[in-house]
Amino acid sequence: DDSLYFYDTLSASATAASTVVPASGNAIIDIADDGHIITTLHANGDIYKTEAGVGTTLHKSLPGTSFVEWVKDYLIIGDDNVLKDATGSSAPHTIYTHPDTAFRWIDACPGRNVIYILGGISDRWVVHRITINEDGTDFETAIVAATLPDGEIGYSIGEYLGFIFIGTNKGVRMASMESDGSLTLGPIIPTAQPVHCFEGEDRFVWFG
């Protein structure tokens, strides 16, 4: 629901420390972390930041937001078909507006010199790439970096050790980054359920 749970260990006997984010009745639908700050997106579009020793504060209220993700020190969000930078205290800055109003952004991850964003509509899903300007004040417009096969619906995207991992309703795809920022998709690694998240550790990539 609207509570965060922190675990010191993954043992069977572990007990969780709970933090209730003040968004009563609005479940957490996405979580992003930036070091010691945990950012939560709620079903009503509220975005909260929770920090140890500080507590929880409302960062922004943006109905229609589909995901939040910290990438290269920027808080990237999907607001319906609009991709935005919501890092600072001012109003979110529009990075790119997809021409189809039914398009939805779903996840983002860092690349070698770009940011990758997963999005789609119906059974057609793509990965876009955006580039940060050299002075860090703006972004170049989004460009398609890879297109998933029709019927393969995107759920998550992650990066580890220079490779991009895409979770879909069919399984996992590993992709290599080209010099121009485009992606070369590897074969599908089938799974019984859609893949919603990734976590790299040592020489492995775990997925949920």
Side-chain angles (χ1 to χ4, degrees), residues 118-174:
L118 177 65
I121 176 174
S122 186
D123 65 347
R124 296 186 177 184
W125 287 72
V126 295
V127 179
H128 284 74
R129 61 178 173 86
I130 57 173
T131 305
I132 305 169
N133 286 353
E134 288 187 4
D135 61 6
T137 60
D138 205 350
F139 299 84
E140 301 290 344
T141 190
I143 299 173
V144 173
T147 301
L148 294 175
D150 281 9
E152 200 167 321
I153 299 170
Y155 279 81
S156 59
I157 189 168
E159 182 273 339
Y160 189 60
L161 296 180
F163 291 93
I164 301 299
F165 298 85
I166 304 168
T168 77
N169 61 325
K170 302 292 180 70
V172 176
R173 283 189 184 272
M174 185 175 176

Side-chain angles (χ1 to χ4, degrees), residues 96-117:
Y96 175 71
T97 301
H98 194 278
D100 193 324
T101 56
F103 187 96
R104 292 294 179 268
W105 305 100
I106 201 70
D107 201 5
C109 77
R112 188 176 295 117
N113 51 12
V114 300
I115 294 173
Y116 292 106
I117 307 97

Side-chain angles (χ1 to χ4, degrees), residues 58-71:
L58 179 64
H59 178 59
K60 286 179 173 60
S61 185
L62 301 168
T65 302
S66 53
F67 86 93
V68 292
E69 188 65 53
W70 284 100
V71 189

Side-chain angles (χ1 to χ4, degrees), residues 1 3 14 32 53 75 77 92 99 119 130 134-135 171 182:
D1 293 330
S3 298
L75 182 62
I77 68 167
I130 57 173
E134 288 187 4
D135 61 6
S182 61

